[in-house]
Structures are given as structure tokens and as C-alpha cells.
């Protein structure tokens, strides 16, 4: 992971230098490990270059807009990498399965998306789409962990519980999505994330292989000498120091 994160830094510097625009979409079943993978990607890079977008439930105003409209302001400008933790594909998945949109709206979305993504690519955006997959048994284990581990309870939502019982409805929705939106200009890449650590390594390795970046030229760096104290003296101030129980 340390080696791959070093390469992500090299990618970052190349993106800044060349003005490249990259958009990465992470989709997948609940508990598939999207958040953990994204966390490892952005852990050692600059948040000014790598931005994570995880939009909340749309407002009433946003619901009245063209469906993809609320995603457009978050698209990358030159020198940026934008990562969507779930994306416009909500309409093909959770909205379709749980009835937040009509079947007609979902079908219309699937017909529209290839042209929408072709416009993104034609505008110079490198678009990468990842679907993370886990087994039924592993999903159960991870959801039970969220129930029992106080560090993870915030991850468990009512939507997760509703979705749990609809495994094959989600499978059908995924299959329809792949069939309609796996295009030459914006293909889907499926990652087996049954083992999270291996999955993260495989996904980051693949991501790096999809961008023709070049590592920046390394320069020798030496720390300058510190200035001398001169007439500076520590003041006799009373400061509030935090307790040190550790």
C-alpha cells in the first residue's frame, strides 16, 4: 500500500502539471468496501487535488431538476481528481429497487447515460467506473459487524436494512445497468472485494494503470539552516496545556 500511495502522489503531481481531469465512480453492493477503498486512495494525497463527493438525499428543489444536474457542479476542473462515493448511478440501483423512482424513469436514465458519459469523455475527462462486489455471506458478516461494533454503528442506515432482503432485485438492476452503460468510452470495471485488503491493492493498481501519468522528476532537497535565536527569549506566559494521560 505504501508503494501504491507513493504512485498516487506521483499521479497527483502529473495531474497538476498537465491540467488533467479525472472522474472516478465507485458503485457496488452495500458493505462492498467503497468507503474504505476511497479512504486509502486519498489518505496520502492533497485534498486540493483529490476531492471526494458523497451527496446526501436530494432536496425537493434538486428532485425537480434534471436528474444528473446536481452532479455536474462537482465534476473536475483542470488539475483535479474527483471521486464519487456513489453517483448518478443511484437511479439505476437503489432508487429503482426501493421505488424512489419509477421503472420508466430508471429506463430513461439508462438510455441517456451513455451519451452523457460520452460528452464527459469528449470534454477531456478521464472517466473510470468501478463496481465492487461481495458475496451474500460476506455482506451478512459486515452488516452484523456494523450492528455490534460501536465504531461502525453510524454506517448502518435504514436503507441498508431494506436493501439486505432484496439481493436478487439488486442483481437484476446491476445486470441491466451493465448491459446499458458498459461502453467503449466508459466501461465498467468489476472488483472482487471479498478480502478488503487485497481488493484495495488490486483496485488502486488498476486505477494507476488506466492513467498515462509520468512520475515527476526528483530534485535533491536540503533543509536550510535555522536562524539563530539572537535576542529572543521564551516569554513568561501561562498557557493551557492539555492533560497527558497517555
Amino acid at each position: 500500500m505504501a508503494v501504491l500511495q507513493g504512485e498516487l502522489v506521483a499521479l497527483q503531481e502529473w495531474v497538476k502539471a498537465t491540467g488533467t481531469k479525472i472522474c472516478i465512480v465507485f458503485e457496488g453492493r452495500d458493505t462492498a468496501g467503497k468507503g474504505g477503498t476511497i479512504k486509502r486512495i486519498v489518505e496520502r494525497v492533497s485534498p486540493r487535488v483529490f476531492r471526494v463527493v458523497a451527496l446526501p438525499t436530494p432536496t425537493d428543489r434538486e428532485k425537480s431538476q434534471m436528474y444528473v444536474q446536481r452532479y455536474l457542479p462537482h465534476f473536475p476542473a483542470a488539475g483535479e481528481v474527483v471521486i464519487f462515493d456513489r453517483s448518478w448511478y443511484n437511479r439505476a440501483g437503489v432508487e429503482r429497487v426501493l421505488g424512489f423512482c419509477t421503472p420508466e424513469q430508471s429506463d430513461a436514465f439508462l438510455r441517456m447515460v451513455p451519451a452523457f458519459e460520452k460528452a464527459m469523455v469528449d470534454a477531456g475527462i478521464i472517466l473510470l467506473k468501478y463496481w465492487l462486489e461481495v458475496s451474500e455471506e460476506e455482506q451478512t458478516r459486515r452488516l452484523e459487524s456494523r450492528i455490534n461494533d460501536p465504531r461502525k454503528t453510524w454506517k448502518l442506515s435504514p436503507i441498508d436494512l431494506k436493501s439486505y432482503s432484496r439481493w436478487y432485485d439488486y442483481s437484476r438492476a446491476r445486470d441491466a445497468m451493465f448491459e446499458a452503460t458498459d461502453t467503449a468510452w466508459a466501461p465498467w470495471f468489476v472488483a472482487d472485494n471479498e478480502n478488503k485488503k487485497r481488493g484495495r491493492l488490486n483496485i488502486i493498481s488498476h486505477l494507476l494503470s488506466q492513467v498515462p501519468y509520468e512520475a515527476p522528476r526528483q530534485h535533491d532537497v536540503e533543509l536550510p539552516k535555522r536562524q539563530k535565536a539572537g535576542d529572543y527569549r521564551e516569554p513568561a506566559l501561562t498557557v493551557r496545556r492539555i492533560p497527558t494521560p497517555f
Side-chain angles (χ1 to χ4, degrees):
M1 183 58 74
V3 172
L4 291 175
Q5 288 178 332
E7 288 299 312
L8 286 169
V9 171
L11 170 65
Q12 167 186 281
E13 297 308 300
W14 178 80
V15 166
K16 288 166 54 180
T18 60
T20 301
K21 298 174 286 187
I22 300 176
C23 181
I24 307 170
V25 169
F26 279 99
E27 294 287 346
R29 296 188 184 274
D30 293 324
T31 77
K34 297 177 291 296
T37 301
I38 292 169
K39 181 179 178 180
R40 295 304 182 276
I41 292 172
V42 303
E43 198 169 30
R44 299 292 183 176
V45 292
S46 171
R48 295 180 180 86
V49 178
F50 280 74
R51 292 192 291 110
V52 178
V53 178
L55 297 185
T57 302
T59 64
D60 288 340
R61 181 177 184 276
E62 288 171 333
K63 289 177 182 177
S64 73
Q65 296 173 343
M66 181 176 69
Y67 176 70
V68 297
Q69 187 172 339
R70 74 184 189 123
Y71 296 96
L72 295 175
H74 301 281
F75 278 20
E80 293 181 344
V81 180
V82 173
I83 302 174
F84 281 93
D85 185 353
R86 293 203 182 274
S87 66
W88 46 95
Y89 281 102
N90 276 338
R91 176 133 294 186
V94 64
E95 291 190 14
R96 183 185 191 112
V97 172
L98 297 185
F100 296 138
C101 71
T102 66
E104 292 75 19
Q105 287 174 318
S106 183
D107 290 342
F109 166 79
L110 291 177
R111 290 193 299 269
M112 174 274 296
V113 164
F116 171 69
E117 293 178 347
K118 185 67 163 59
M120 293 175 63
V121 173
D122 288 347
I125 295 175
I126 296 175
L127 176 59
L128 299 173
K129 302 187 304 191
Y130 289 99
W131 175 272
L132 276 57
E133 192 66 70
V134 293
S135 67
E136 293 180 75
E137 295 76 18
E138 180 61 14
Q139 185 186 62
T140 297
R141 190 193 68 79
R142 293 180 186 181
L143 283 171
E144 288 175 344
S145 176
R146 291 183 181 184
I147 293 171
N148 299 318
D149 189 335
R151 300 169 299 173
K152 300 178 181 179
T153 52
W154 65 273
K155 292 184 176 183
L156 189 65
S157 71
I159 295 296
D160 294 332
L161 299 177
K162 288 183 180 179
S163 299
Y164 179 74
S165 64
R166 308 285 291 274
W167 177 271
Y168 290 105
D169 287 340
Y170 273 99
S171 295
R172 295 185 187 94
R174 175 204 59 196
D175 297 345
M177 182 187 74
F178 284 170
E179 184 175 2
T181 65
D182 182 43
T183 59
W185 54 89
W188 279 102
F189 298 108
V190 179
D192 178 0
N193 209 33
E194 195 82 352
N195 181 306
K196 288 183 180 181
K197 290 184 178 180
R198 288 182 61 195
R200 292 164 188 163
L201 295 173
N202 291 331
I203 292 166
I204 296 174
S205 297
H206 183 270
L207 188 163
L208 291 166
S209 75
Q210 296 301 298
V211 184
Y213 73 98
E214 297 179 1
R217 183 179 175 184
Q218 297 294 326
H219 298 284
D220 294 332
V221 178
E222 292 185 9
L223 291 174
K225 293 182 179 179
R226 291 191 188 275
Q227 66 180 156
K228 295 181 179 180
D231 60 353
Y232 177 78
R233 298 292 181 272
E234 291 285 349
L237 297 176
T238 300
V239 296
R240 295 179 180 84
R241 297 191 181 277
I242 66 168
T244 54
F246 304 105

